[in-house]
Amino acid sequence: MNKRKEQVVHKAHELFIEKGYHATSIQDILNHSRISKGSFYNYFPSKGDLFKAVFTSIHDRLEEGRNSLLIGQDPSDIKIFAEQIQLVMKINKKNKLLQLVEDALVSNDPDLITFIKKTKFSLLTWVYERFLHIFPADKKPYLLDGAIIFNGILQNMLQINSAMNEVITSKQIIDYCTTLIQTIVEEVSEMGIQLISPDHVDKLLPASEYTDFFNNDLSFATISLKKVIERSFAPGDANLTNYLKLLYFIQEEIMNNKEPRHFLIESALLSLKTCPNLNEAKEFKHYQDVLSKML
């Protein structure tokens, strides 16, 4: 997206927050962005397409932030998941994302309505994908139900708390919901209770419609290699910090870029190979195999 188009998206977002989607006219956007009508329609066929660009811009920042929280961390750690949920809530609140979506949902634009309905399932799909990392493999049949229950409890708790003038912190609510969902998943799996099969997740949001926010093979290969590197140095050693930074750089480059810069990854790999004992480690060979399949 060129800078001029990006500015229009930014200015439109400001107006959508201030006035609402419906109350914001294209003329308002032209005036606020200081562009001509011709330039506007060269960028966006309609106001609905501009809304999609605004939403996508917010979602991209949200995705990058969630991914960054996972760099160098164990994806099965539910505390990291809780931090990601906290970030989601913070970004949504700052951008009034939920209000914008609800406002646009009553639009008469069928294409925009379809887009918005898909976005309403994006958080559910992401929670389900994260649960696949967090819970043991034998819990998989119950995790789509679990993701739906988690989202429902979280949203209702937040709404009630808002009505009570936020007497409870968002962190307390998230911690409560994550603790509760662990108990629920454990109990329903013991009883064998399943309402919606995970096979239905693609009916809610086809795989081609959402991003796999975290690559499982890469995450565990990175964690395994991290342990090898940590064994090679004493705690606090500057070399330890430098090699771990290289490892995290590669992970971040792949996770946060649709087109990872291969030359930078290859350069980081060459530097990693200077780490003592790393070339002989089976974990490093596996790590390189995982990277080669992704690049």
Side-chain angles (χ1 to χ4, degrees):
M1 187 182 297
N2 63 50
K3 290 184 178 180
R4 191 62 172 150
K5 185 176 180 180
E6 189 175 348
Q7 180 187 0
V8 176
V9 171
H10 175 68
K11 293 297 184 180
H13 185 200
E14 289 179 346
L15 288 173
F16 291 162
I17 288 176
E18 179 185 346
K19 303 177 65 173
Y21 174 74
H22 282 296
T24 300
S25 67
I26 289 180
Q27 189 60 50
D28 289 333
I29 297 168
L30 299 181
N31 295 339
H32 197 53
S33 304
R34 297 182 179 180
I35 63 168
S36 67
K37 184 177 289 187
S39 295
F40 175 86
Y41 283 110
N42 183 51
Y43 295 142
F44 307 102
S46 68
K47 190 172 78 168
D49 286 290
L50 175 56
F51 176 89
K52 293 179 189 177
V54 169
F55 182 91
T56 300
S57 175
I58 298 169
H59 186 272
D60 287 347
R61 294 198 300 273
L62 189 152
E63 180 183 352
E64 183 176 350
R66 288 189 306 207
N67 284 346
S68 296
L69 289 172
L70 280 167
I71 299 295
Q73 302 295 331
D74 185 346
S76 66
D77 187 347
I78 200 166
K79 291 181 181 178
I80 302 300
F81 170 71
E83 291 179 16
Q84 290 176 301
I85 292 293
Q86 182 79 46
L87 178 68
V88 170
M89 292 169 54
K90 181 179 179 181
I91 291 178
N92 283 352
K93 184 175 183 179
K94 177 182 178 181
N95 294 283
K96 295 186 178 179
L97 192 59
L98 299 180
Q99 294 162 325
L100 292 179
V101 166
E102 292 303 322
D103 187 26
L105 192 58
V106 296
S107 165
N108 292 322
D109 182 346
D111 186 51
L112 182 58
I113 291 173
T114 299
F115 173 82
I116 292 171
K117 286 182 177 179
K118 288 179 180 178
T119 67
K120 292 173 80 71
F121 292 116
S122 63
L123 179 60
L124 170 63
T125 306
W126 175 77
V127 170
Y128 169 70
E129 292 288 326
R130 289 293 289 114
F131 278 5
L132 291 175
H133 296 120
I134 292 167
F135 292 95
D138 64 330
K139 308 298 182 188
K140 182 177 180 179
Y142 314 98
L143 295 184
L144 181 55
D145 284 346
I148 295 169
I149 293 169
F150 176 83
N151 276 14
I153 295 172
L154 180 63
Q155 293 304 321
N156 279 282
M157 284 288 186
L158 291 172
Q159 290 174 6
I160 295 297
N161 192 42
S162 178
M164 296 190 300
N165 296 318
E166 300 186 353
V167 296
I168 306 170
T169 67
S170 59
K171 183 179 185 305
Q172 286 176 301
I173 293 174
I174 293 170
D175 288 345
Y176 173 81
C177 291
T178 52
T179 299
L180 187 61
I181 198 60
Q182 291 178 85
T183 301
I184 291 173
V185 169
E186 186 63 35
E187 290 184 354
V188 297
S189 65
E190 287 180 2
M191 294 183 286
I193 300 174
Q194 180 196 67
L195 187 60
I196 303 178
S197 167
D199 295 337
H200 290 88
V201 70
D202 286 341
K203 294 181 180 179
L204 296 174
L205 195 63
S208 61
E209 301 285 355
Y210 64 84
T211 303
D212 179 7
F213 292 94
F214 196 66
N215 181 278
N216 193 40
D217 290 338
L218 176 63
S219 66
F220 287 107
T222 299
I223 291 168
S224 297
L225 193 57
K226 175 187 175 185
K227 293 177 181 177
V228 174
I229 294 173
E230 288 173 337
R231 290 198 299 266
S232 301
F233 300 95
D237 192 313
N239 288 316
L240 171 62
T241 301
N242 291 334
Y243 284 121
L244 289 180
K245 282 183 178 179
L246 288 169
L247 189 63
Y248 300 158
F249 168 78
I250 294 173
Q251 191 177 30
E252 186 170 14
E253 182 68 21
I254 291 175
M255 290 167 60
N256 289 336
N257 292 288
K258 293 181 179 179
E259 296 183 4
R261 294 166 291 184
H262 291 204
F263 70 98
L264 290 177
I265 293 174
E266 290 171 0
S267 176
L269 272 175
L270 285 174
S271 298
L272 275 176
K273 288 180 180 180
T274 65
C275 179
N277 306 319
L278 201 60
N279 288 308
E280 292 77 24
K282 65 180 185 299
E283 291 87 352
F284 189 44
K285 183 180 184 305
H286 175 64
Y287 177 77
Q288 293 181 91
D289 289 342
V290 170
L291 283 180
S292 65
K293 292 176 182 177
M294 299 180 65
L295 300 177

